[in-house]
């Protein structure tokens, strides 16, 4: 498995979840990684990214509530999601790509996602 996301589930609004993604060495080493999500009936959207040197970047909707981190020893990234809202509902995917002039450029592989359902 090249990219495997886990940790999704059902949570009430205001609650927290922590997502994890493990990546193959080829997709992890020297790469930026990111979380995307696809809400029901909508297009996939960027949530957060972390560069190879652990610099984070967040979508406006995630700022102040989500925290992305990477564990280089485990070839893994995590997304701590707090103060969840119903609009955070969706399938969350991780992605391996690049950071160019501060912007995340996704690669082609999103792997299998994990479903997050936030109930209001």
């Amino acid at each position: 498995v090249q990219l495997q996301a886990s940790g999704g589930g059902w949570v009430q609004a205001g609650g927290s979840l922590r997502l994890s993604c493990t990546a193959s060495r080829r997709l992890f080493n020297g790469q930026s990684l990111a979380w995307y999500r696809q809400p029901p009936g909508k297009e996939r959207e960027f949530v957060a990214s972390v560069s190879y040197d652990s610099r984070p970047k967040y979508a406006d909707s995630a700022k102040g509530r989500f925290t992305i981190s990477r564990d280089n020893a485990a070839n893994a990234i995590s997304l701590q999601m707090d103060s969840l809202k119903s609009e955070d509902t969706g399938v969350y995917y991780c992605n391996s790509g690049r950071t160019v002039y501060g912007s995340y450029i996704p690669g082609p592989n999103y792997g299998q996602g994990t479903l997050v359902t936030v109930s209001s």
Side-chain angles (χ1 to χ4, degrees), residues 39-53:
K42 296 184 178 180
E43 297 292 318
R44 186 154 48 201
E45 62 187 20
F46 172 82
V47 177
S49 65
V50 60
S51 66
Y52 71 95
D53 56 354

Side-chain angles (χ1 to χ4, degrees), residues 31-32 36 46 49 95-108:
Q31 299 289 97
S32 295
Y36 281 74
F46 172 82
S49 65
N95 179 270
S96 172
R98 301 177 293 140
T99 299
V100 179
Y101 298 115
S103 295
Y104 182 76
I105 309 299

Side-chain angles (χ1 to χ4, degrees), residues 6-48:
S6 62
W10 181 92
V11 64
Q12 287 190 322
S16 298
L17 280 175
R18 185 176 181 88
L19 306 183
S20 296
C21 172
T22 55
S24 66
R25 185 175 298 178
R26 179 179 66 84
L27 292 180
F28 189 88
N29 287 352
Q31 299 289 97
S32 295
L33 287 103
W35 288 98
Y36 281 74
R37 68 186 179 193
Q38 187 164 18
K42 296 184 178 180
E43 297 292 318
R44 186 154 48 201
E45 62 187 20
F46 172 82
V47 177

